[in-house]
Every structure is written in C-alpha cells, then in structure tokens.
Amino acid sequence: MLKVVGLEDNQRFALMKFRRTVQDILKQPHHDDNFLLRWLRARKWDPVAAEKMLRESMEWRKQWEVDKLTEWDPPQILNDYLPHGLCGFDKDGAPVIVVYFDALDIYGILHVVSRRDMIKMTIKRLEEYLKLCREQMLKHGPAAGQVVVIFDMQGFNLKQYLWRPAGEVVITLIQMYEANYPEILKTCYIINAPKVFAFAFSVTKKFMNEYTLSKIQIYKSDPARWQTALFSNIDRDQVPAFFGGTLKDPDGNPKLGTKICLGGKVPKEMYVNNTEKDMENFTTVTIKKGGKLELDIPASEMGSLLSWEFRTENHDIRFGIVKKDYNGTQKEVIPMRRVAAHQLDEIGILICEVPSTYSIIFDNTYSIIRNKKIHYSVKVIPPTESQEITPTTL
C-alpha cells in the first residue's frame, strides 16, 4: 500500500471519517486510502457527499456486474472498430492512451450492436486501464496512477453525433464516467480540433465536473503548440510518429496500428438496423392538410439541451422553433423551412441559454391536398451542476 503524503490536517480528518463510514463496503487491497481520496477530492473533501457517491457507484457496479466483465466476450465489431490503445507512458510512468476520434463510426457501430454493449465495452476498457494505473502506481508512485489521453480530432464529423441514439450514448458515457471513475484523469490533450468541435464540446462539457474540465487542454491544428505541450510531459519514444514521436509499426505506419485500434467506417453490410427501426421513443401523428402542430416544451433550467429528431412518410414538412420568453417576447431560433425528412431524418440540438418555453412547429399549411404523417422525438435534457471552468484552449 502506498503511503498518503501531502495532506492538510482537515483533509486527513475527512479521510479518517470517510474511511470509517464506508468500511463495510471496502474491498482490499484495491480500496486503500489512495482509492478513497479519489472520491473525497471529487466531492471537495466532504465525507458525507463522498460516501453517497461511493455507495451509489458500488450499487451501479453490481447492476452492471462490473467485476465479471473480465469474463465477458464483447462483439467482435467493438474490438475492431472502437479506436483506442495504449502507446506508452509519460515521464511519471502514467499510461498514455491514444484515441483517433475521427475514426469512431458510432453511427455504424450502433447499427450493429446495442447501446448496452457499447456501454459495457467502455466500462471494460476503463477497468483495464485502471488496473494498469494501479500497477504503475505501485512501481512509480501516485503520479503514475492516472491516465493521460490524447484525442486526435482531425477530420471530426459532428453530424453523426446529432443522431439521437449516438448523442444519447455519448452523454450516458460521460455521466457514467463522472459518477463512477472520479479523479482518474491526469491530463487530456484534445488536438487538431476543428471549429465545429467547439459546438460539440459546448454540449458535452455541461455533463463534466469541474475537475475533469480543469484537466482538458484543447489545441487547434497547430502542431508546434500541442507538440510542445505533449513532449514536455511525455518522451518522444512513447508517442506515435503521427504526433511527432518515434513509434512506428514494422511496416512504417506512423499511427502505430499494431498497438492502437485505428477504428474506421463500419461496412453497411454489417448493419442489422437495430436502432434505425427503433420507434419506441417516437410519437406518431398525422398533420392534416392546411394544418400545423405546435408543441410547447418548457426548459426551466439554464443550460438545458433541447434535442429533436423526426422523419416524415413520403413528403416534406415545414419545421421551425420559436422561443417564448416568460416576459411575453417571442423569437424564431430555428427559422421555418421545408425539410425533406422523408429522405433523411432531421436531427438537432439547441442549448437553452435562459429559462424559456420553446415551441416546436411542424407546419403543413402550404399543402392543400396532402396529410402528412410524422414520427418525432423531442426532449429536454437538464443540465448537471453548473460548470464555470472552461478547459485550456490554445
């Protein structure tokens, strides 16, 4: 067991109290003081809040049978198409994980496997990396007990994440991570971030806590800057040549595909349409010729997310969103336009910056001979705790 050092008196007292209150659920040797400190730090040294968080996480582990996932054989597509891998270790001995994010075809994956399998696979990988962190910490000390992650966003495509099942999986995974894997991130380098990534991050960061955000560094496509950051903490012989390191595959591949799963586009012939035809979360209505449907959706919390997805049968429909403030003013936030939702599902997300009511409008007044059948799903996702800290952006 590693000795805990550098704590102030009030922190040692909180640790002692926390240890005593959760003694009944601790499992040795992994649940030592360093393990307990993760939960205390995540709850700002409040032992009562840390106990609640830990006990809820222990129940979550039982529900997902986390300790048995080592025996679970995941669908092969998840082994072949989820881009990630260990490339080496930083100067403190902490594992360095690489994710070629643009190579994640989450749309394709979710047409082959269930969302539950996607979540189980993520848990399995997190557990494997945590095990490696424990081994490194015993060899090199506490500084090696967290992971360093490099997310390469070059070529990032936002469109697939606006597809409802994909967006919901991403948010679910972030919430799962925050609730059950506190304080395991040392540094996250997000590199080659295109402009469109700013929108995606503005959505996802609302589900991250202050600690996680403080560890994220975002860099645009400027290798000189992000390489300076990377190599101040990681030796070049621990990083793929694709990022300016020295690691290559025997065939010269600079992305190091022998150690890192490179992901890629899932062949459409593998699709089983397990999500495409899923209509259980949709409402179906017929809008009469010359008529319209208006749905007033309240978003009472600042920072909520309004998401929508709809499709029509055979014909297009006019669509738009009007914000109705509580003072009586109205503003068109999504302009009314004709949408060919019979050809491609219409998907979108809107950040509700102030508490308001949003009127979702499906307008068929321009049609004098045709009724329109529409299948829609509209929901408001409430924000988590207010996040005021933004990550470093260079």
Side-chain angles (χ1 to χ4, degrees), residues 213-259:
L213 289 170
S214 72
K215 296 296 182 179
I216 296 175
Q217 300 179 26
I218 302 176
Y219 297 88
K220 300 176 184 178
S221 298
D222 186 352
R225 288 200 170 189
W226 55 255
Q227 285 182 0
T228 298
L230 280 183
F231 299 126
S232 65
N233 298 311
I234 312 169
D235 291 326
R236 289 182 182 269
D237 63 1
Q238 300 294 306
V239 175
F242 188 74
F243 300 130
T246 61
L247 296 177
K248 293 182 181 180
D249 288 326
D251 64 359
N253 185 351
K255 286 193 170 184
L256 200 64
T258 53
K259 296 183 67 175

Side-chain angles (χ1 to χ4, degrees), residues 18 50 78 117-118 135 139 181 294 319 324:
F18 182 38
L78 295 176
D117 279 345
M118 183 77 169
E135 294 170 355
K139 294 177 184 177
Y181 296 94
E294 294 190 34
F319 168 77
K324 300 177 179 178

Side-chain angles (χ1 to χ4, degrees), residues 14-276:
L15 174 60
M16 180 180 66
K17 182 178 179 181
F18 182 38
R19 187 194 308 120
R20 185 172 61 248
T21 58
V22 298
Q23 194 65 44
D24 60 304
I25 59 172
L26 297 184
K27 299 178 182 179
Q28 298 300 332
H30 300 322
H31 293 175
D32 56 11
D33 284 353
N34 286 287
F35 169 82
L36 295 177
L37 285 172
R38 286 172 42 204
W39 306 87
L40 274 173
R41 291 190 177 110
R43 288 297 177 260
K44 299 180 179 179
W45 301 96
D46 181 342
V48 175
E51 178 186 0
K52 182 177 183 294
M53 184 184 186
L54 178 56
R55 289 189 182 277
E56 288 176 349
S57 181
M58 289 298 187
E59 285 300 314
W60 170 84
R61 292 181 71 89
K62 290 179 184 177
Q63 293 169 9
W64 283 89
E65 298 183 316
V66 174
D67 295 333
K68 296 181 181 179
L69 286 181
T70 53
E71 307 165 9
W72 177 60
D73 189 17
Q76 189 59 39
I77 187 176
L78 295 176
N79 289 321
D80 295 341
Y81 286 93
L82 277 183
H84 76 99
L86 174 74
C87 66
F89 302 89
D90 76 357
K91 294 178 181 179
D92 293 322
V96 178
I97 312 302
V98 168
V99 178
Y100 296 108
F101 204 86
D102 68 304
L104 173 58
D105 180 12
I106 194 168
Y107 182 90
I109 288 173
L110 291 176
H111 277 80
V112 181
V113 302
S114 67
R115 282 174 268 189
R116 182 175 179 84
D117 279 345
M118 183 77 169
I119 294 169
K120 284 176 66 176
M121 186 61 160
T122 303
I123 298 171
K124 183 179 176 72
R125 293 299 180 230
L126 283 171
E127 291 292 313
E128 290 170 354
Y129 288 137
L130 266 182
K131 182 176 182 290
L132 179 58
C133 283
R134 288 193 293 267
E135 294 170 355
Q136 289 299 105
M137 188 164 57
L138 290 174
K139 294 177 184 177
H140 304 287
Q146 297 171 300
V147 295
V148 176
V149 183
I150 302 172
F151 279 108
D152 181 18
M153 307 303 294
Q154 188 173 23
F156 170 75
N157 181 4
L158 177 63
K159 184 176 180 179
Q160 64 173 331
Y161 297 96
L162 295 179
W163 180 53
R164 177 184 55 81
E168 288 180 350
V169 164
V170 170
I171 291 172
T172 297
L173 291 176
I174 292 173
Q175 291 176 318
M176 178 196 75
Y177 166 83
E178 292 289 3
N180 302 287
Y181 296 94
E183 306 281 323
I184 69 168
L185 180 65
K186 186 175 184 180
T187 309
C188 177
Y189 301 99
I190 298 177
I191 63 175
N192 295 320
K195 289 182 179 180
V196 70
F197 174 73
F199 172 79
F201 191 77
S202 71
V203 174
T204 56
K205 75 176 184 179
K206 294 181 181 298
F207 300 91
M208 301 177 186
N209 67 32
E210 179 179 312
Y211 168 83
T212 302
L213 289 170
S214 72
K215 296 296 182 179
I216 296 175
Q217 300 179 26
I218 302 176
Y219 297 88
K220 300 176 184 178
S221 298
D222 186 352
R225 288 200 170 189
W226 55 255
Q227 285 182 0
T228 298
L230 280 183
F231 299 126
S232 65
N233 298 311
I234 312 169
D235 291 326
R236 289 182 182 269
D237 63 1
Q238 300 294 306
V239 175
F242 188 74
F243 300 130
T246 61
L247 296 177
K248 293 182 181 180
D249 288 326
D251 64 359
N253 185 351
K255 286 193 170 184
L256 200 64
T258 53
K259 296 183 67 175
I260 301 167
C261 177
L262 302 181
K265 197 76 173 175
V266 176
K268 287 190 176 180
E269 55 266 28
M270 296 179 67
Y271 286 15
V272 295
N273 291 326
N274 61 312
T275 53
E276 182 99 302

Side-chain angles (χ1 to χ4, degrees), residues 298-368:
S300 58
E301 296 182 74
M302 183 174 63
S304 296
L305 303 179
L306 174 65
S307 70
W308 63 90
E309 179 179 357
F310 66 89
R311 66 193 68 162
T312 55
E313 295 185 8
N314 302 320
H315 303 285
D316 64 8
I317 192 79
R318 289 188 79 228
F319 168 77
I321 300 178
V322 173
K323 183 178 72 167
K324 300 177 179 178
D325 292 333
Y326 296 139
N327 61 10
T329 62
Q330 297 188 16
K331 179 182 179 182
E332 196 175 63
V333 290
I334 301 295
M336 295 296 301
R337 71 195 190 285
R338 289 176 69 162
V339 176
H342 59 302
Q343 297 175 349
L344 184 67
D345 288 11
E346 180 72 9
I347 304 165
I349 295 177
L350 180 69
I351 301 173
C352 306
E353 297 179 349
V354 294
S356 301
T357 295
Y358 291 81
S359 184
I360 313 293
I361 303 172
F362 298 106
D363 183 2
N364 195 33
T365 57
Y366 63 93
S367 179
I368 60 174

